[in-house]
Amino acid sequence: MRLPMADMIADYGSDVHQILGKQMDGPTEFNQLEIDRGDLTRIIRATAEDPNAYKIIHGSQSVVIGEGLARFQAEDFRKGDVDLEAWVSQSASVLGHLDGVRGDVIYDLGQAEKDANNWKRMVNYHVVGGLLTPIPIAGDGIQRAVDWGLNGSVNEENAKVDAATRNNMINHYDEGRRQLYGTLRMVANARGLSDEELDASPGWYEDVLQKAAERDYRSGMGDADGAMGR
């Protein structure tokens, strides 16, 4: 079910971009959709349980963002073009929402693995400990030793899961930011702007566009977290 749902969401890419990128007070411009941003975020969250479904949705938004940036010319990147700033802000919010959703999936996968470790520990305790309890005198002490050993083992395994989950989430968010900045810079370079020109400060690109991108990317992630109850 998740892949067909992802295909449907991707088919309405421009509407999704408006809903996640703007504070809509009415229907979308393209297909007159009236879906609450929080509801859409939760639908995408359920779909994103399948990483391939998430890629479909993310890919469709990458196309929408790239096509939107393609309409701007070199001077728009050099000077204060408010339409470009608005598009960058909206696109950053969209990517922030999507990365926030996928980050929540990564976190829950880590929690599920820890729950599995805890379940195995409980089963082992009852199976192994239950066999030892009837042993006179030594049984209770041995069972406590087994319990201590199993706790130590599960804590170690859960610590590994926590570390892996943190690394996965860090890599995920880093990749999201790199994509955002990379797409913006790629289009600017294609319009003839050098990296030196883009990095000049004070400058429209360095101090306005990139700051807007970072601000709204983080805002989108925070909004996604709120929609998912985190």
Side-chain angles (χ1 to χ4, degrees):
M1 288 295 293
R2 291 188 175 96
L3 287 175
M5 180 65 70
D7 287 333
M8 184 185 70
I9 294 171
D11 286 341
Y12 291 90
S14 295
D15 301 273
V16 170
H17 190 279
Q18 280 197 334
I19 295 168
L20 297 182
K22 299 171 66 176
Q23 294 289 351
M24 300 293 292
D25 294 320
T28 59
E29 174 185 349
F30 304 96
N31 290 288
Q32 303 297 302
L33 300 184
E34 296 188 62
I35 301 177
D36 177 76
R37 177 190 276 181
D39 290 340
L40 178 58
T41 301
R42 287 184 285 274
I43 291 170
I44 294 174
R45 168 62 179 81
T47 308
E49 291 279 351
D50 183 336
N52 292 318
Y54 174 78
K55 289 177 182 177
I56 292 172
I57 298 171
H58 196 281
S60 74
Q61 286 307 303
S62 297
V63 171
V64 172
I65 292 168
E67 289 179 345
L69 286 173
R71 71 179 185 266
F72 295 101
Q73 303 305 311
E75 288 308 304
D76 300 325
F77 287 89
R78 291 191 174 100
K79 299 179 180 178
D81 186 275
V82 293
D83 289 338
L84 175 56
E85 182 181 4
W87 183 255
V88 168
S89 293
Q90 293 162 22
S91 299
S93 177
V94 171
L95 292 178
H97 275 85
L98 295 183
D99 285 349
V101 163
R102 185 58 187 164
D104 191 64
V105 172
I106 292 171
Y107 175 81
D108 281 355
L109 289 174
Q111 292 301 112
E113 188 173 350
K114 288 169 63 176
D115 288 344
N117 289 339
N118 293 334
W119 171 257
K120 286 189 291 185
R121 179 261 171 202
M122 184 185 71
V123 170
N124 287 335
Y125 173 81
H126 285 293
V127 171
V128 179
L131 292 174
L132 294 172
T133 299
I135 301 176
I137 303 175
D140 187 57
I142 294 174
Q143 185 168 357
R144 283 197 296 271
V146 169
D147 188 31
W148 180 86
L150 291 174
N151 275 328
S153 175
V154 77
N155 288 339
E156 182 179 344
E157 290 302 315
N158 285 345
K160 292 178 182 177
V161 172
D162 285 338
T165 300
R166 281 194 298 271
N167 286 334
N168 287 338
M169 293 182 73
I170 289 170
N171 291 336
H172 175 68
Y173 293 137
D174 282 349
E175 183 178 341
R177 285 193 293 269
R178 283 195 298 270
Q179 182 201 358
L180 178 61
Y181 296 138
T183 301
L184 191 58
R185 184 171 290 263
M186 180 182 67
V187 175
N189 288 153
R191 295 291 182 269
L193 282 78
S194 66
D195 286 339
E196 291 76 13
E197 187 175 5
L198 295 177
D199 291 334
S201 183
W204 168 248
Y205 183 92
E206 174 68 24
D207 299 315
V208 179
L209 288 183
Q210 289 194 141
K211 290 291 191 299
E214 181 174 0
R215 179 193 67 230
D216 287 286
Y217 178 79
R218 292 181 180 276
S219 175
M221 283 200 298
D223 191 71
D225 285 346
M228 294 179 294
R230 286 185 57 192

